[in-house]
Amino acid sequence: MEEWKRWQPFEKMSGKFYVDTLMMLEEGLIIKLSKGEQKIEIVFDGCIDAYRYIKDSFSFKIPSDLKKKYGIDFYGDCSFFKVTNSEYLAWLSEKSCEYSKDFPFMHFCIVGGDEIVDVLVRYEPEIKFIE
């Protein structure tokens, strides 16, 4: 069964962030987010195995399921999560004829104000505050 845990790399990173920029470059996946004056950049450096972006209007079930399982306070004031026993990773495993099971993936999920971004990688991203 899929399990979500809050992921808070910095103490200052509470509240709901909005995805301002999502760029897949040769250097990796770069996600810039903001909450008021606070701006951060998450860099998944190098090879990205899988990621997806979903507008909130196409993801009603995700917040509904989180609310049922964990309560509104769990995700209502948080944007950053790690997911274990991930349905997304199970989907990737099926689509790759189980090739992906050979890798120690981590599933990071960003539940923004207007979108959801899922990233499957084998390492922790770099996160920094930006001006």
Side-chain angles (χ1 to χ4, degrees):
M1 177 176 271
E2 189 171 80
E3 291 293 322
W4 286 54
K5 294 182 180 165
R6 285 177 173 224
W7 170 51
Q8 193 169 357
F10 297 114
E11 201 172 299
K12 297 182 203 176
M13 289 179 54
S14 63
K16 194 60 81 177
F17 280 75
Y18 288 84
V19 176
D20 296 326
T21 306
L22 179 74
M23 297 181 290
M24 184 66 187
L25 303 171
E26 194 172 302
E27 299 83 27
L29 180 67
I30 299 169
I31 306 170
K32 294 182 181 183
L33 304 109
S34 64
K35 181 187 79 172
E37 296 296 315
Q38 193 175 25
K39 297 182 185 314
I40 61 168
E41 181 178 78
I42 301 174
V43 179
F44 292 94
D45 195 18
C47 180
I48 302 301
D49 296 293
Y51 76 96
R52 66 182 175 190
Y53 171 91
I54 308 168
K55 286 297 287 178
D56 65 345
S57 56
F58 294 100
S59 62
F60 294 128
K61 189 171 181 336
I62 295 168
S64 175
D65 289 349
L66 290 175
K67 182 179 177 182
K68 284 179 196 170
K69 187 168 184 177
Y70 302 104
I72 187 74
D73 292 339
F74 177 74
Y75 75 92
D77 67 341
C78 183
S79 285
F80 307 100
F81 300 90
K82 284 186 178 180
V83 184
T84 56
N85 298 320
S86 164
E87 292 174 6
Y88 184 37
L89 186 52
W91 173 86
L92 181 66
S93 179
E94 176 193 340
K95 298 303 174 194
S96 70
C97 297
E98 299 195 7
Y99 173 71
S100 64
K101 285 189 173 187
D102 293 338
F103 300 98
F105 284 113
M106 291 179 273
H107 178 176
F108 292 90
C109 185
I110 299 167
V111 180
D114 294 326
E115 61 281 304
I116 296 175
V117 179
D118 292 288
V119 183
L120 298 177
V121 291
R122 297 175 238 173
Y123 50 85
E124 296 276 337
E126 176 188 342
I127 302 164
K128 57 187 171 187
F129 290 94
I130 54 178
E131 302 287 319

